[in-house]
């Protein structure tokens, strides 16, 4: 174990600076650090951000990145650029001992150094590690399932879909072709519906460039365990979404679960079986495992028990918000209700959290987090969408336009806003890009092949069929 460098008391005669440690570089982590570095007085505190990635991913843009409407690098915000007054540590927090005010962190250099993880000390802790995909014990899911929570997964899925179209175009095996052109999405929330809508739209467009694939050859299936999809936009807009997807020949199956996807066959609880090479899992998230490796109180669902002031319940000098925090919704009529773990709440909670942390440091009054849900917007593909904002219901093009306008206003930094806007403008003037760059996932494969003696020989022809019924 190595102790991190400590800058406290470097100047004799001056009070030590408060050490603020932010664990997580997502919505809450980045926005909290951004607000703190703007409002802190000179020499008042030092901010350290521990993040597994050097960027924050704006997840509402992942479906458009998968469809090729936005470049992957414009879906992320580099932490070092926007948090110039913070110390950024790229690593994974493994354990939190709040009683000792320490966090154990492994960095990219930990293995090479051979000295073990770093122990970082703090005075104020902001815990915002977010969530991870909730994978159920479905047979075959770990082997064949594809997630949709990171930019890498989004671009990998885009490459995969185009690659399946290439396989279907080149094979002479009808069973292989059918499996390659069958795409199963599990989960009827924002991630699943938007990813399906955007990728189906992209694949439909790409089909015009294949001489032997038509849009109707592809089979798209949406599986949802509850009786409706997109509950955030309300029952009426949810019904409209189902109708719109089915009009596009998408098979929407409500009150249905994925039972198995072993041997590349998706078996559903209603008895349906789909040979498929694509199973996209977007069926919910669960709290980050770091929470279980801490001495901080959690609720029955594994999230941090928090107050409406965004402090961790019953603990001093610990703050939390976002997916990892169970924050009471004081605006709800129903008692005991918690704020939904979504981006809309996370961004607003980060602002209140930063202000309350500063107020606590300065001995001022804290403010409760109270935010009425403004509504939700969802894209269903180019020029298609649904929205329920401030009681108004929109669909089709107006909802799609509202979706883009809202998220453009929310994506961090003027730089990113202008880049995304420029890409949307150019995509409206020129044709879509339908290139698969799957080889990016294995960049050294070609060189390793050459260094090992050149290209592999073609596979041997299949063995002849064995004689049947003694004939042959």
């Amino acid at each position: 174990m190595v102790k991190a460098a400590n800058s406290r008391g470097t100047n004799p005669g001056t009070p030590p600076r408060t050490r603020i440690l932010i664990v997580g570089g997502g919505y809450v982590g980045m926005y909290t650090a951004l607000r703190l570095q703007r409002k802190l007085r000179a020499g008042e505190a030092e901010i350290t951000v521990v993040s597994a990635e050097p960027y924050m991913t704006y997840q509402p843009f992942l479906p458009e990145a998968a469809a090729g409407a936005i470049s992957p690098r414009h879906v992320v915000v580099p932490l070092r650029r926007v948090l110039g007054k913070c110390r950024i540590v790229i690593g994974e927090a493994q354990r939190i001992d709040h009683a000792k005010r320490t966090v154990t962190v492994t960095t990219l250099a930990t293995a090479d150094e051979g000295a073990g993880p770093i122990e970082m000390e703090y005075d104020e802790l902001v815990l915002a590690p977010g969530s991870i995909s909730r994978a159920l014990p479905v047979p075959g899911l770990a082997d064949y399932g594809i997630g949709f929570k990171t930019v890498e997964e989004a671009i990998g899925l885009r490459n995969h879909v185009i690659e399946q179209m290439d396989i279907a175009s080149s094979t002479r095996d009808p069973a292989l072709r059918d499996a390659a052109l069958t795409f199963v999405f599990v989960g009827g929330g924002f991630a699943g519906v938007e990813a399906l809508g955007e990728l189906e739209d992209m694949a439909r467009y790409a089909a015009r460039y294949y001489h032997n694939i038509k849009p109707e050859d592809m089979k798209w299936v949406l599986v949802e365990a509850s009786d409706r999809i997109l509950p955030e936009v309300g029952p009426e807009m949810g019904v409209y979404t189902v109708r719109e997807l089915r009009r596009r020949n998408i098979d929407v199956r409500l009150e249905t679960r994925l039972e198995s996807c072993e041997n590349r066959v998706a078996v559903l609880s209603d008895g349906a079986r789909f040979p498929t090479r694509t199973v996209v899992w977007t069926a919910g998230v669960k709290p980050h495992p770091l929470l279980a490796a801490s001495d901080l109180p959690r609720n029955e669902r594994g999230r941090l028990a928090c107050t409406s002031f965004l402090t961790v319940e019953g603990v001093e000098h610990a703050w939390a918000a976002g997916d990892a925090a169970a924050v009471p919704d004081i605006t709800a009529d129903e008692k005991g209700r918690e704020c939904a773990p979504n981006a809309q709440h996370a961004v607003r909670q980060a602002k209140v959290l930063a202000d309350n942390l500063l107020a606590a440091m300065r001995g001022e009054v804290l403010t409760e987090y109270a935010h009425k849900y403004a509504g939700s917007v969802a894209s269903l593909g180019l020029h298609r969408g649904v929205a329920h904002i401030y009681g108004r219901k929109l669909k089709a093009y107006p909802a799609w336009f509202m979706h883009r306008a809202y998220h453009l206003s929310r994506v961090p930094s003027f730089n990113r806003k202008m880049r995304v806007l420029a890409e949307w403008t150019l995509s409206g003037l020129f044709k879509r890009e339908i290139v698969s760059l799957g080889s990016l996932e294995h960049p050294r494969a070609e060189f390793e092949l050459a260094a090992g003696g050149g290209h592999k020989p073609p596979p041997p022809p299949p063995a002849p069929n064995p004689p049947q019924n003694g004939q042959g």
Side-chain angles (χ1 to χ4, degrees):
M1 185 75 68
V2 177
K3 279 201 171 186
N6 190 338
S7 62
R8 302 199 92 191
T10 52
N11 297 322
T14 61
R17 294 190 294 176
T18 300
R19 298 166 298 180
I20 302 173
L21 180 60
I22 300 175
V23 177
Y27 289 106
V28 174
M30 194 205 74
Y31 278 104
T32 300
L34 192 62
R35 191 166 182 86
L36 284 173
Q37 74 174 11
R38 287 174 180 168
K39 303 190 75 172
L40 279 168
R41 300 165 185 152
E44 187 176 13
E46 58 182 27
I47 308 169
T48 301
V49 179
V50 176
S51 174
E53 304 292 345
Y55 51 78
M56 186 275 273
T57 302
Y58 192 74
Q59 291 185 340
F61 280 160
L62 289 183
E64 292 204 51
I70 302 177
S71 171
R73 66 184 185 277
H74 297 157
V75 178
V76 299
V77 180
L79 296 178
R80 297 187 191 279
R81 173 180 289 179
V82 298
L83 302 178
K85 297 180 181 179
C86 301
R87 178 191 173 204
I88 308 298
V89 176
I90 306 304
E92 289 273 5
Q94 301 293 332
R95 187 170 60 257
I96 298 173
D97 188 342
H98 189 65
K100 296 181 179 178
R101 303 286 194 274
T102 60
V103 174
T104 304
V105 179
T106 57
T107 69
L108 296 177
T110 298
D112 291 333
E113 289 176 340
I118 300 172
E119 192 175 81
M120 305 185 71
E121 298 178 337
Y122 61 84
D123 299 308
E124 300 285 347
L125 174 68
V126 177
L127 195 50
S131 58
I132 61 173
S133 295
R134 182 188 60 189
L136 300 180
V138 176
L141 182 62
D143 298 319
Y144 302 112
I146 302 172
F148 197 80
K149 191 167 172 57
T150 67
V151 67
E152 293 85 0
E153 288 175 328
I155 303 310
L157 180 57
R158 168 188 169 81
N159 292 334
H160 174 82
V161 168
I162 297 176
E163 184 180 84
Q164 298 312 303
M165 296 179 71
D166 290 335
I167 291 173
S169 177
S170 59
T171 185
R172 289 175 290 180
D173 183 344
L176 176 58
R177 173 185 168 89
D178 182 59
L181 294 180
T182 300
F183 307 96
V184 178
F185 285 69
V186 184
F190 278 113
V193 172
E194 289 192 323
L196 171 60
E198 291 284 355
L199 284 165
E200 189 275 340
D201 196 53
M202 182 271 292
R204 179 182 293 271
Y205 176 87
R208 68 180 67 182
Y209 297 102
Y210 290 82
H211 70 283
N212 58 352
I213 296 180
K214 298 178 181 178
E216 51 268 27
D217 295 336
M218 293 181 281
K219 187 182 298 179
W220 298 82
V221 184
L222 177 64
V223 180
E224 168 55 38
S226 68
D227 60 352
R228 60 175 176 165
I229 63 174
L230 294 181
E232 294 87 352
V233 299
E236 183 180 336
M237 289 294 96
V239 170
Y240 166 81
T241 303
V242 172
R243 189 166 64 245
E244 167 65 17
L245 293 178
R246 286 175 174 165
R247 187 185 66 79
R248 290 160 58 179
N249 206 29
I250 296 172
D251 186 354
V252 181
R253 295 178 178 249
L254 303 177
E255 299 183 276
T256 307
R257 297 180 307 279
L258 177 69
E259 298 284 354
S260 170
C261 57
E262 286 185 304
N263 302 317
R264 296 190 181 277
V265 177
V267 181
L268 307 185
S269 59
D270 61 2
R273 297 170 63 89
F274 296 99
T276 178
R277 297 169 60 88
T278 308
V279 175
V280 183
W281 182 267
T282 64
V285 296
K286 63 181 180 180
H288 196 283
L290 172 63
L291 304 187
S294 75
D295 55 352
L296 296 171
R298 294 177 292 149
N299 67 3
E300 64 281 357
R301 299 177 63 183
R303 299 166 72 193
L304 289 173
C306 294
T307 70
S308 57
F309 299 100
L310 303 178
T311 60
V312 177
E313 204 168 75
V315 178
E316 293 184 343
H317 308 293
W319 311 76
D323 290 359
V327 179
D329 186 355
I330 63 175
T331 65
D333 297 329
E334 181 185 347
K335 191 175 181 180
R337 189 171 177 180
E338 298 171 358
C339 294
N342 56 36
Q344 186 178 145
H345 279 296
V347 173
R348 289 166 172 80
Q349 286 172 356
K351 177 181 177 181
V352 176
L353 191 158
D355 290 346
N356 279 349
L357 198 161
L358 287 173
M361 287 170 52
R362 298 166 182 172
E364 298 170 356
V365 178
L366 275 59
T367 304
E368 286 188 294
Y369 174 73
H371 170 64
K372 276 282 188 181
Y373 196 57
S376 299
V377 290
S379 170
L380 304 178
L382 189 63
H383 299 162
R384 303 182 182 98
V386 290
H388 189 185
I389 303 175
Y390 294 114
R392 299 197 63 180
K393 299 167 186 174
L394 302 173
K395 56 188 178 182
Y397 185 88
W400 172 82
F401 182 82
M402 180 63 72
H403 173 271
R404 285 200 161 184
Y406 173 80
H407 286 301
L408 183 65
S409 69
R410 290 293 180 265
V411 67
S413 83
F414 179 77
N415 179 294
R416 281 295 175 272
K417 294 182 196 295
M418 291 301 100
R419 287 182 182 274
V420 170
L421 182 59
E423 286 197 306
W424 282 343
T425 303
L426 291 174
S427 65
L429 299 175
F430 300 100
K431 294 181 179 180
R432 282 188 187 221
E433 292 290 347
I434 58 165
V435 178
S436 168
L437 297 176
S439 58
L440 288 176
E441 298 166 26
H442 307 284
R444 295 191 66 247
E446 184 69 21
F447 180 77
E448 288 174 350
L449 200 60
H455 289 281
K456 293 180 181 178
N465 293 328
Q468 299 292 328
N469 301 324
Q471 298 177 2

